[in-house]
Amino acid sequence: MDKLIDTIVNAIEDKKGKDIVSLDLSGFDGAVCSAFVVCSADSTTQVAAISAGVEESVEQKLGIKVWRVDGRQNALWIAMDYTDVVVHIFLNEIRDYYKLEELWADAPATRYEYEV
């Protein structure tokens, strides 16, 4: 799972995604997956580009196909389901509104910082 998360984070960084966080949900009964990777983008075009970049990178580097993708039609919030890991790509204001990380505030979080 660590390799999948690292590949996802690198793909997000390649498309200049911001505020990248992974949440470890493995210790929670009833969690839909083992981890979330969450990031923000400045425009719907960038949200869509990050999603495409993640899908391409994970498939090329790990041979793993995304199981399901929701939200591509409007690209305000795209969720990508890799079974154990769900990627959430938000338009900035949508992430601020839903506050997904606050819902899982007890989950161990890893923040990723990169040089621009």
Side-chain angles (χ1 to χ4, degrees):
M1 186 174 67
D2 289 341
K3 197 170 192 179
L4 176 58
I5 291 172
D6 289 343
T7 303
I8 290 166
V9 168
N10 289 334
I12 292 168
E13 289 175 343
D14 286 347
K15 299 295 182 183
K16 310 295 186 227
K18 296 195 282 188
D19 301 321
I20 306 166
V21 178
S22 66
L23 301 173
D24 180 355
L25 307 178
S26 60
F28 293 88
D29 288 338
V32 296
C33 61
S34 298
F36 281 166
V37 177
V38 184
C39 72
S40 300
D42 294 325
S43 68
T44 55
T45 303
Q46 186 182 18
V47 170
I50 291 169
S51 173
V54 167
E55 186 170 7
E56 180 181 322
S57 184
V58 170
E59 192 168 340
Q60 281 182 354
K61 293 178 180 169
L62 303 178
I64 300 171
K65 290 185 182 238
V66 65
W67 182 70
R68 182 177 176 149
V69 180
D70 283 324
R72 281 199 173 142
Q73 58 278 12
N74 59 23
L76 299 172
W77 173 4
I78 295 178
M80 305 178 73
D81 188 345
Y82 283 98
T83 311
D84 266 356
V85 177
V86 176
V87 183
H88 297 273
I89 307 161
F90 287 97
L91 189 63
N92 289 322
E93 51 268 27
I94 302 298
R95 184 175 182 179
D96 292 342
Y97 179 80
Y98 284 104
K99 300 181 186 316
L100 184 65
E101 293 101 316
E102 288 181 22
L103 294 174
W104 295 96
D106 293 342
T110 304
R111 298 198 172 276
Y112 301 88
E113 303 294 331
Y114 66 97
E115 299 296 322
V116 177

